[in-house]
Amino acid sequence: MASAIELIHRIPMPTGHPASIAFADDGIWVADVESRDIILVKPDTGEVLRKIRSVVRRPQTITWDGAHLWEFDEVTSKLFKRSVNSGEAFLYGRAEGVNAPYLGMSVRDGVLWIIAPDQPEFTVNNNIITMVQFPRRIQAESFEAPTYSCRGLCHDGRCLWTLDVEAREIFAVDPWTGIIFTSYDLPGCAQPSSIVVTGDRIHTMDLKSNMLLTFRLDRNVRFSTSGGRRSEVDIVSPARHNGPGTLR
């Protein structure tokens, strides 16, 4: 069976402490939680296109909405959005009822998706994905993430994607209900973190090797198989015949 995902690029990260990545029209934004640098890099060559200073002290999670870069501060648990052209920043604050930290974010068509723990620190059972609709900041819906170890969010225009960092598996879910459409294993990635999905590309970080990985995604392959085994199966089909006559 053909593989849905193929690793095509592996480049060194342009910084030493990457915490999150986000899509841009001409590359991938990489946020360094220690240096406060947010770097725009070409994922196929590693060329650094731009470097800006984060507006928060420790940019743990970032996302891009096409006009603004959203930055979640690990220190204050507050969310900012800023124009990368003018540098003007706007304080969003905290999403009501959403626990910190924000483990992933995605913004599209006036909706902000946040993945965060379902309970305060040290009592977490699972992660919850919450939708906030603008401009009124209405908390429209929330649903459970596919697994408790999901980190990162990305809306590709059709699906909302998240990443299980322990199982090294990505999930495509319905953005409004959380129903899982499909999932794929990530090959060749020891410690993935954060995720960006476009039409036929998947980007993630490998924290163990400090690399930015790019995969080719074949959406025509609906599922993949692994770990197959031979088994004997007895199929029992009960039937009832009320007569008259003979059942053959």
Side-chain angles (χ1 to χ4, degrees):
M1 178 178 290
S3 175
I5 294 179
E6 177 189 3
L7 179 61
I8 57 174
H9 297 298
R10 183 194 297 267
I11 64 168
M13 277 292 186
T15 190
H17 302 91
S20 182
I21 59 176
F23 172 77
D25 293 333
D26 48 355
I28 298 294
W29 290 107
V30 180
D32 188 302
V33 72
E34 297 290 346
S35 70
R36 296 178 57 186
D37 290 329
I38 301 180
I39 303 164
L40 183 61
V41 60
K42 293 188 69 173
D44 54 343
T45 65
E47 179 187 357
V48 174
L49 303 176
R50 190 175 183 184
K51 181 185 292 188
I52 59 177
R53 189 77 164 169
S54 173
V55 298
V56 303
R57 290 170 61 187
R58 289 179 62 87
Q60 183 184 37
T61 308
I62 61 172
T63 190
W64 170 256
D65 67 5
H68 298 89
L69 196 63
W70 295 66
E71 304 173 27
F72 173 77
D73 187 5
E74 184 182 56
V75 176
T76 64
S77 296
K78 292 182 179 179
L79 183 58
F80 290 78
K81 68 174 184 176
R82 57 95 68 84
S83 169
V84 296
N85 294 323
S86 68
E88 187 177 12
F90 308 89
L91 171 63
Y92 176 85
R94 299 189 184 188
E96 184 177 352
V98 179
N99 295 309
Y102 298 172
L103 305 172
M105 303 184 298
S106 184
V107 182
R108 192 179 185 94
D109 300 330
V111 180
L112 167 66
W113 285 265
I114 301 172
I115 185 169
D118 63 350
Q119 301 290 332
E121 195 172 5
F122 305 121
T123 60
V124 176
N125 292 316
N126 198 3
N127 292 324
I128 299 296
I129 298 175
T130 301
M131 297 165 46
V132 181
Q133 290 184 322
F134 292 93
R136 295 177 60 192
R137 301 189 183 185
I138 298 173
Q139 187 171 316
E141 189 61 77
S142 63
F143 47 84
E144 288 192 349
T147 71
Y148 75 94
S149 52
C150 281
R151 305 288 186 272
L153 286 177
C154 180
H155 196 307
D156 69 351
R158 289 179 284 179
C159 304
L160 189 66
W161 295 80
T162 187
L163 165 68
D164 185 321
V165 297
E166 293 187 4
R168 298 186 293 275
E169 183 178 9
I170 60 172
F171 292 88
V173 306
D174 187 301
W176 303 97
T177 66
I179 294 174
I180 299 173
F181 292 140
T182 190
S183 68
Y184 303 105
D185 294 331
L186 282 181
C189 187
Q191 191 178 348
S193 181
S194 196
I195 186 171
V196 171
V197 181
T198 60
D200 62 349
R201 293 290 186 271
I202 297 171
H203 308 277
T204 190
M205 300 184 290
D206 187 342
L207 297 182
K208 185 175 182 178
S209 61
N210 200 36
M211 292 280 185
L212 178 64
L213 276 56
T214 301
F215 299 86
R216 179 183 291 112
L217 172 62
D218 185 351
R219 294 178 183 262
N220 294 318
V221 179
R222 299 299 183 183
F223 60 91
S224 60
T225 60
S226 63
R229 66 180 184 179
R230 292 184 178 274
S231 301
E232 292 185 2
V233 179
D234 292 330
I235 301 176
V236 179
S237 179
R240 181 175 181 177
H241 178 51
N242 294 323
T246 302
L247 179 64
R248 298 184 183 279

